[in-house]
Amino acid sequence: MVDTQPMRLSHNARQLRLDTLVRLRWLAIAGQAAAVAIVRFGLGFDLPFGPCFVVIAASAIVNLMLRIEYPASHRLSDNAATILLAFDTLQLAALLYLTGGLENPFAILFLAPVLISATALTPERTLGLGLLAVGLATLLVLTHRPLPWFPGQSLSLPFLYVTGIWTAILLGTVFIGIYAWRVAEEARQLAQALASTELVLAREQHLSQLDGLAAAAAHELGTPLATIALVAKELDNATPADSPFAEDLKLLREQVERCRTILTKLTSMGQEEGDFLETISLGHLVEEIVAPQRALDFDVRVKCHGEGPEPMVRRNPGVVYGLSNILDNATDFAESQVAVEASWTPEEVSIEIRDDGPGYAPDILLRVGEPYVTTRSAAKRQERGDEEGGSGLGLGLFIAKTLIERSGAQLILTNAPPPTTGAIARIVWPRRAFDQGAAILPQVEMGGNLTK
């Protein structure tokens, strides 16, 4: 069984690749060197050329050491990435100190390390780097070398204008940090949730393949088992009734017959019962998802009704898993019972799952179906032992929704209208798609408590 651990996936997704950081630093070094050279030799401005290139060379030396010490595919730990980004911030501050402080228009580059941290590190580390950048910017307001300008002239911007630049850096650090972190986090969560869904589908596929493997094993074992039976029969006929081996031979023949019976059942299941297992009625589909809850003595009320004969459908493991997941979540939050109602008309087939629990909170209802959206508290998850496999982390509804929508479904989750309480899941298939028995092509309105 494949074990999905979202927390571990999340940590691995955050790790910054060393090659990425090294390439970005080479780009920064080239830009800094070009800017200093153009200002000094192109414009003829007076600036401390030697100290500036010493600061730039320090960054280049760090890059060379990293390239020699580690392979390009190496991924940095959070501590190492934080230290390197902090070094970049300090290196930029030193260069700005030599070239005018915040009066230098390149002071906006303070935002670059914060942006990288926001996309690859935790919010706490990004906050630390942001505070470092703002603190260094504050020092540059108070002390710095003059801004390079034409020989014999000096340019000093008003303090109020420099304060405005400092404020822009502060607000930019906050806004860009939060915005970049949020966008990157949503992308990571979506990628992790899709990976979890693929693992579930692979698991279902492996289960489906067991029938074929069992039939193949039955055919392969048939010939040697027949040989064993023949040899055991001949030995039994040639052995006197009072021989000490008579009982052993009798037991051997009985076990051979038992094995042949088992193999016959496996073979006939694959050949004779396949169509029955693949194509089932709507009522059987409902009973299949309800049976595990009844085995736990939970009160699940089932009602099936409609116009005309009961529709038939090809059994889809993904849809069965999705519906079972919704029902499981409904029973988790129901006060006393869950109702499952299946109905059909000439135009559509529907399954509705209702519970009498508290329903969705208004803020959760707006985002229900997205990965990692859950109303289950951490304490409750721990009590239920849900850390393993992603249960209770908001992946349940996302996986169920993906499995059903992959076959053409549309899912809508709602709460019961007042004064009643609870969540409602309604799944609706076009009648033609359901009757065709292909991959269930539902148009789904669904409710239940899958992510709560």
Side-chain angles (χ1 to χ4, degrees):
M1 179 178 293
V2 181
D3 183 22
T4 56
Q5 298 184 24
M7 297 304 294
R8 180 177 298 176
L9 291 173
S10 178
H11 176 73
N12 293 338
R14 286 183 180 277
Q15 288 184 324
L16 185 63
R17 197 161 168 258
L18 177 62
D19 186 62
T20 301
L21 199 57
V22 169
R23 289 176 181 272
L24 290 174
R25 186 179 284 112
W26 281 127
L27 182 63
I29 291 171
Q32 292 171 357
V36 170
I38 291 174
V39 170
R40 179 65 180 86
F41 301 107
L43 300 177
F45 291 173
D46 185 23
L47 83 164
F49 184 79
C52 286
F53 263 88
V54 169
V55 174
I56 297 173
S59 184
I61 291 173
V62 171
N63 243 17
L64 290 174
M65 293 175 61
L66 290 174
R67 182 62 78 189
I68 294 172
E69 184 70 20
Y70 300 100
S73 60
H74 178 72
R75 289 193 175 271
L76 298 168
S77 65
D78 287 352
N79 290 335
T82 304
I83 292 173
L84 290 176
L85 290 174
F87 170 81
D88 291 337
T89 306
L90 291 169
Q91 188 261 0
L92 177 62
L95 197 58
L96 290 174
Y97 169 79
L98 296 171
T99 56
L102 293 192
E103 295 179 2
N104 190 320
F106 290 102
I108 194 67
L109 292 177
F110 269 129
L111 301 179
V114 178
L115 175 61
I116 296 173
S117 175
T119 58
L121 299 178
T122 60
E124 294 78 11
R125 296 177 183 273
T126 302
L127 176 61
L129 287 171
L131 292 176
L132 176 63
V134 173
L136 292 174
T138 304
L139 290 177
L140 291 175
V141 173
L142 303 176
T143 177
H144 57 82
R145 298 285 294 272
L147 181 70
W149 203 243
F150 294 103
Q153 302 180 25
S154 63
L155 176 64
S156 181
L157 298 177
F159 182 76
L160 182 61
Y161 185 83
V162 176
T163 303
I165 296 176
W166 179 87
T167 305
I169 293 176
L170 172 63
L171 297 179
T173 299
V174 174
F175 175 77
I176 291 180
I178 294 176
Y179 180 81
W181 173 80
R182 185 60 188 169
V183 172
E185 187 68 14
E186 288 181 356
R188 278 191 293 264
Q189 288 182 351
L190 182 59
Q192 294 155 21
L194 288 175
S196 298
T197 301
E198 292 298 332
L199 290 174
V200 171
L201 290 175
R203 189 180 302 165
E204 291 293 321
Q205 184 179 8
H206 292 160
L207 291 176
S208 300
Q209 291 172 347
L210 289 179
D211 289 341
L213 292 175
H219 285 292
E220 291 295 329
L221 292 174
T223 300
L225 192 61
T227 302
I228 295 174
L230 178 61
V231 173
K233 182 178 180 181
E234 291 179 351
L235 289 175
D236 189 24
N237 293 335
T239 302
D242 57 350
S243 172
F245 300 105
E247 290 295 327
D248 293 337
L249 289 173
K250 180 180 178 182
L251 178 62
L252 178 61
R253 293 187 62 183
E254 291 176 353
Q255 295 303 312
V256 168
E257 285 300 322
R258 182 181 178 188
C259 290
R260 295 180 66 177
T261 301
I262 295 173
L263 293 181
T264 301
K265 288 183 179 180
L266 289 176
T267 305
S268 63
M269 180 179 294
Q271 295 175 349
E272 300 173 6
E273 298 184 274
D275 292 341
F276 171 74
L277 292 176
E278 287 296 326
T279 304
I280 58 177
S281 66
L282 177 62
H284 282 101
L285 178 64
V286 172
E287 288 298 330
E288 183 173 351
I289 66 173
V290 170
Q293 301 300 332
R294 286 180 171 166
L296 299 175
D297 295 328
F298 193 89
D299 185 10
V300 180
R301 300 186 179 182
V302 177
K303 181 179 180 182
C304 295
H305 61 89
E307 304 174 18
E310 185 175 357
M312 305 291 293
V313 67
R314 184 179 296 276
R315 187 183 183 279
N316 186 323
V319 174
V320 172
Y321 178 88
L323 295 176
S324 299
N325 210 336
I326 296 171
L327 183 61
D328 289 343
N329 201 78
T331 57
D332 284 345
F333 290 87
E335 294 294 335
S336 58
Q337 68 177 20
V338 173
V340 180
E341 181 177 354
S343 61
W344 60 92
T345 68
E347 291 77 27
E348 65 181 28
V349 176
S350 66
I351 296 177
E352 186 173 278
I353 301 175
R354 302 186 301 271
D355 65 75
D356 57 354
Y360 295 105
D363 58 325
I364 296 297
L365 188 59
L366 295 175
R367 302 171 54 209
V368 68
E370 298 179 8
Y372 300 104
V373 176
T374 177
T375 60
R376 194 190 302 277
S377 66
K380 190 165 186 177
R381 291 199 303 269
Q382 185 175 4
E383 177 185 348
R384 289 170 44 84
D386 289 341
E387 286 82 354
E388 181 177 352
S391 178
L393 295 174
L395 282 178
L397 178 58
F398 175 81
I399 293 175
K401 184 177 180 181
T402 302
L403 288 171
I404 298 177
E405 285 188 345
R406 179 169 286 190
S407 61
Q410 179 185 6
L411 283 72
I412 299 175
L413 294 161
T414 60
N415 283 329
T420 58
T421 61
I424 300 178
R426 190 165 181 265
I427 308 112
V428 181
W429 292 267
R431 181 60 185 264
R432 174 192 283 182
F434 201 94
D435 287 343
Q436 283 177 348
I440 302 178
L441 299 176
Q443 166 196 352
V444 179
E445 295 175 39
M446 185 164 65
N449 296 301
L450 210 78
T451 64
K452 295 189 288 184

